[in-house]
Amino acid sequence: MSKKGKAKNTVNKAKHTKLLNRKKAKLKQEKETRKLRLKEITKQGQKKPGPTK
């Protein structure tokens, strides 16, 4: 016998997908900011002259 009404897991699946997408976006954003920060640090390191004797 088939069920009547809406499907059982659709709401939970939608919420789960939404949360996972939010998590992936957050991780991607953190990765980008980390990469930019490292680029800035390397640029600063290249600007500074080394110690001379």
Side-chain angles (χ1 to χ4, degrees):
M1 293 179 60
S2 62
K3 293 187 279 181
K4 293 182 180 178
K6 64 180 182 176
K8 184 177 177 183
N9 286 330
T10 55
V11 176
N12 287 338
K13 284 183 181 179
K15 287 181 182 178
H16 184 68
T17 303
K18 183 179 177 181
L19 288 174
L20 285 181
N21 288 339
R22 196 183 299 170
K23 182 179 178 181
K24 286 179 186 177
K26 182 179 177 183
L27 291 174
K28 189 174 183 180
Q29 179 66 30
E30 287 176 355
K31 189 175 181 181
E32 290 295 320
T33 55
R34 191 175 296 127
K35 191 183 290 187
L36 289 173
R37 206 177 298 144
L38 282 173
K39 280 185 181 181
E40 279 187 32
I41 292 171
T42 53
K43 282 182 184 178
Q44 288 177 357
Q46 290 173 353
K47 284 182 185 178
K48 289 184 181 178
T52 57
K53 289 185 179 179

